[in-house]
Amino acid sequence: MRPTASRLLNILVPVKRTIDYAVKIRVNPDQKGVDLNVKHSMNPFDEIAVEEAVRLREKLKDAVKSIKVVTIGGTKSQETLRTALAMGADSGIHVSLADSDPTPEPLGVAKALRAVIEREKAKTPVDLVILGKQAIDDDSSQTGQMLAGLLNWPQATFASKLVVDAEKKEANVTREIDGGLEELKCRLPLVVTTDLRLNEPRYASLPNIMKAKKKPIEKITPADLGVDLAPRLETLKVAEPPKRVGGGKVENVDQLIEKLKEAGITAVKA
Amino acid sequence: MPTPQASQATRHRVLALYKELHRLGRDYPDPTYNFHGKLRGLFEKNKNLTDPAEIEKAIKLGEYIRNETLALYSLRKYRHLKRMYPLDSKADPPS
């Protein structure tokens, strides 16, 4: 039985171009930022999000109508979209900023994403937004939550398992929380953020990268969306964490006990 | 004797494999390991093979190395992320 039109899912996956995870971060001399003249790639948690969308389609087949990826940034952000398209997304939206513009903040991103979702409502209403739980550059872990709040949609964050029932328009999400796992049943439309343990992203093979060049990327501006992405926060200072003070060696057990006493650790009564 | 079409198809496979491995080699984590040099050398060594069984064996080895390299990259990334974002949020941050 082919799924009826009302039950076809449209998935939106926002992705971010961040400094590659393997790069050693260097703070700039002015202590206002880090050296950005290094290798960049898609935020690893966003790779997991794209992978999850592609796997959903492999599982639900025709029930997934479209997988769109969206990014906000300068010209090089398009490469991130191309990687996502090579992994299996259908089309991309590039909200383009000037290369000199500062990286947008989570609230700005959430507002822009809401505007994109509003824009898509007529033709391809979004049923599921899958985001990385945080970006490895700012580690805010706010965008998904803020987006859900702005849209007034349910949210399931830090997902380690996602099962979608397209017919019922429901999802069962397992979340990683302190002390274990939590299972939620949510109605669509839904915002999900991905935890590391959700899946292992595929590598975009060369043939797929070539095929992805033909997939469409729509370019729009924040003005088109009616969103102001000017930062509201001012970075006062960026510095490296203090160097860990080395441990000392002791000669015997008595010395160890002395050092522990000096540190204020008292013996437990037997 | 392989047909001209078969050797064309094989040629295409070999070239595609080479390009794929070459592109992968750009991300190799150890800068002292001469990935591209070894890649070129291994392909050149086998360039005069004619027996289809031997050619297939060589291609399979190339594909094996490609899969192993991919596994290396994804494991390395996973381990790094696991260390940086531990499940137990009360654990000490890594040094």
Side-chain angles (χ1 to χ4, degrees), chain A residues 39 47 134 139 176 206, chain B residues 23 27 70 77 85 87 89:
Chain A
K39 182 178 181 201
E47 285 178 340
Q134 61 202 82
D139 285 318
E176 299 271 354
L206 198 50
Chain B
R23 195 172 262 249
D27 298 324
L70 280 170
K77 187 181 248 184
Y85 298 95
L87 261 176
S89 62

Side-chain angles (χ1 to χ4, degrees), chain A residues 1-21:
Chain A
M1 269 258 288
R2 287 200 73 212
T4 59
S6 66
R7 299 198 184 113
L8 294 180
L9 299 179
N10 294 303
I11 306 177
L12 182 70
V13 184
V15 295
K16 184 180 183 185
R17 178 176 179 263
T18 60
I19 296 178
D20 187 78
Y21 83 92

Side-chain angles (χ1 to χ4, degrees), chain B residues 57-75:
Chain B
K57 200 169 144 200
I59 292 177
K60 286 282 179 256
L61 177 60
E63 287 172 351
Y64 172 76
I65 292 174
R66 177 200 60 203
N67 294 342
E68 287 288 294
T69 310
L70 280 170
L72 167 71
Y73 291 174
S74 61
L75 273 174

Side-chain angles (χ1 to χ4, degrees), chain A residues 16 32 101-109 111 138-143 146 228-238:
Chain A
K16 184 180 183 185
K32 291 279 184 193
D101 280 344
T103 313
E105 292 164 357
L107 183 57
V109 174
K111 288 180 177 174
D138 57 23
D139 285 318
S140 303
S141 188
Q142 295 169 358
T143 309
M146 284 176 169
D228 173 20
L229 292 176
R232 295 171 173 211
L233 303 172
E234 182 196 345
T235 302
L236 298 177
K237 182 173 158 196
V238 178

Side-chain angles (χ1 to χ4, degrees), chain A residues 216-227:
Chain A
I217 292 182
E218 189 192 354
K219 197 166 167 183
I220 53 181
T221 65
D224 294 333
L225 297 172
V227 176

Side-chain angles (χ1 to χ4, degrees), chain A residues 145-195:
Chain A
Q145 292 88 331
M146 284 176 169
L147 178 61
L150 289 172
L151 291 168
N152 205 24
W153 287 8
Q155 60 181 279
T157 54
F158 313 112
S160 63
K161 188 168 172 194
L162 173 62
V163 179
V164 176
D165 187 333
E167 298 282 305
K168 289 194 195 155
K169 288 228 151 182
E170 268 176 14
N172 272 3
V173 189
T174 308
R175 300 181 62 223
E176 299 271 354
I177 58 173
D178 286 351
L181 301 170
E182 178 187 63
E183 229 186 277
L184 297 180
K185 193 199 276 283
C186 320
R187 267 192 294 262
L188 303 186
L190 170 68
V191 173
V192 175
T193 74
T194 68
D195 180 76

Side-chain angles (χ1 to χ4, degrees), chain A residues 251-264:
Chain A
E251 296 294 307
N252 52 47
V253 175
D254 290 323
Q255 266 198 7
L256 174 63
I257 296 178
E258 265 312 305
K259 293 260 175 194
L260 289 172
K261 279 192 185 155
E262 276 171 36

